[in-house]
Amino acid sequence: MSEKTKSIEKDPSRAGLLCTASLLAWAGMLLAFALLVSSPLKRYTSVKDRDVFLEHNAGAGVKPGELYYFEGPVARGREWQPKLAVFFNGTNTVLEVTAAEVNACIASMLRPPSRPPAAESSTIMIVPKMPNLFVDENEGIFFSLPTEVSIFGSHHKLVVCARGHFSPGSEVTFTMEALYLNNAAIPVLGGLADRVVATLLKGYSESAEFIAFRQAWAKVESAEVVADTIRLKLR
């Protein structure tokens, strides 16, 4: 046993101070995290919209609530349907899709999980809504997921946003650069962000449509963002 350890054991007041300081530090971090989660992300529908806002607020500094994400449009037509058929069945071809077409496809094929009617006041429930995609050649790829959280009967709404890019190589994946729960950042390193996303998407990932999409994605040889379009090269 070291002299330092013996000193702490012989001085209970010092050990108590260390314990209290540690508890206060953890409490402070939890409180800060809770405050950031309660502060919503600012939503933009275009890069131009964001730039105009930042220009008008230049020099004001970044404050809670001023972190932002991009929400992509949803196409009104059915142009995405033939492209989806190519994605599922095509080989040795290049497919170009816009975020608006992807969002229209998501809205048509996926159904958000419903809120369980029973035991709302005595459980913790997380109910994800409709996912949304935004792409820009310079800003990157944004996946946003409005989510309702019920904690022992208290209901809260937040936006989960992942920003990243497509990975190079033969197995193309979405590589997260940042993940936010409203204004609270979730560490990407160590796999915590991946586990959070997997938990939120569990209601979708077990559906037949999601499984079919994941299987078809294995054919993607490369993926890149050109302007506001995703270009996929299929094997």
Side-chain angles (χ1 to χ4, degrees):
M1 185 178 293
S2 66
E3 292 297 327
K4 183 178 180 180
T5 304
K6 291 180 180 179
S7 175
I8 294 176
E9 290 180 347
K10 293 179 180 180
D11 189 355
S13 60
R14 182 182 176 189
L17 286 174
L18 290 174
C19 182
T20 301
S22 298
L23 290 175
L24 288 175
W26 277 106
M29 287 188 291
L30 290 174
L31 178 60
F33 183 82
L35 290 174
L36 290 172
V37 169
S38 66
S39 179
L41 284 169
K42 188 169 182 62
R43 177 179 62 91
Y44 297 107
T45 57
S46 69
V47 176
K48 181 179 179 181
D49 190 24
R50 188 276 314 270
D51 291 344
V52 169
F53 175 83
L54 293 180
E55 182 180 350
H56 289 169
N57 293 273
V62 178
K63 301 176 183 178
E66 290 183 350
L67 292 179
Y68 61 85
Y69 73 102
F70 292 106
E71 183 179 82
V74 181
R76 295 184 178 182
R78 293 284 179 175
E79 292 82 1
W80 59 268
Q81 289 183 326
K83 295 185 178 182
L84 182 63
V86 172
F87 177 72
F88 281 141
N89 305 312
T91 57
N92 298 320
T93 187
V94 175
L95 178 63
E96 294 188 347
V97 293
T98 65
E101 292 169 335
V102 173
N103 289 329
C105 176
I106 291 174
S108 179
M109 295 181 63
L110 299 182
R111 292 291 177 268
S114 59
R115 180 191 298 275
E120 288 195 6
S121 61
S122 60
T123 58
I124 298 176
M125 292 182 298
I126 301 175
V127 183
K129 298 302 181 179
M130 192 63 67
N132 180 269
L133 172 70
F134 177 93
V135 298
D136 181 84
E137 187 172 357
N138 297 316
E139 299 294 333
I141 303 170
F142 289 76
F143 281 106
S144 58
L145 184 67
T147 304
E148 292 184 359
V149 180
S150 297
I151 304 176
F152 301 108
S154 177
H155 304 300
H156 308 273
K157 293 182 179 181
L158 56 87
V159 173
V160 181
C161 180
R163 174 175 54 82
H165 60 275
F166 290 124
S167 65
S170 58
E171 295 185 5
V172 180
T173 61
F174 174 72
T175 301
M176 266 193 293
E177 299 171 1
L179 179 69
Y180 293 95
L181 273 64
N182 279 354
N183 269 271
I186 303 299
V188 174
L189 298 178
L192 178 58
D194 291 330
R195 290 194 293 272
V196 170
V197 171
T199 299
L200 291 172
L201 291 180
K202 187 176 181 179
Y204 290 111
S205 61
E206 297 176 350
S207 67
E209 293 82 1
F210 193 97
I211 293 172
F213 180 88
R214 187 170 53 194
Q215 291 173 343
W217 186 263
K219 297 188 306 178
V220 176
E221 182 176 340
S222 65
E224 61 177 331
V225 175
V226 180
D228 60 349
T229 300
I230 298 175
R231 180 179 295 166
L232 303 175
K233 184 178 179 181
L234 305 180
R235 294 184 177 90

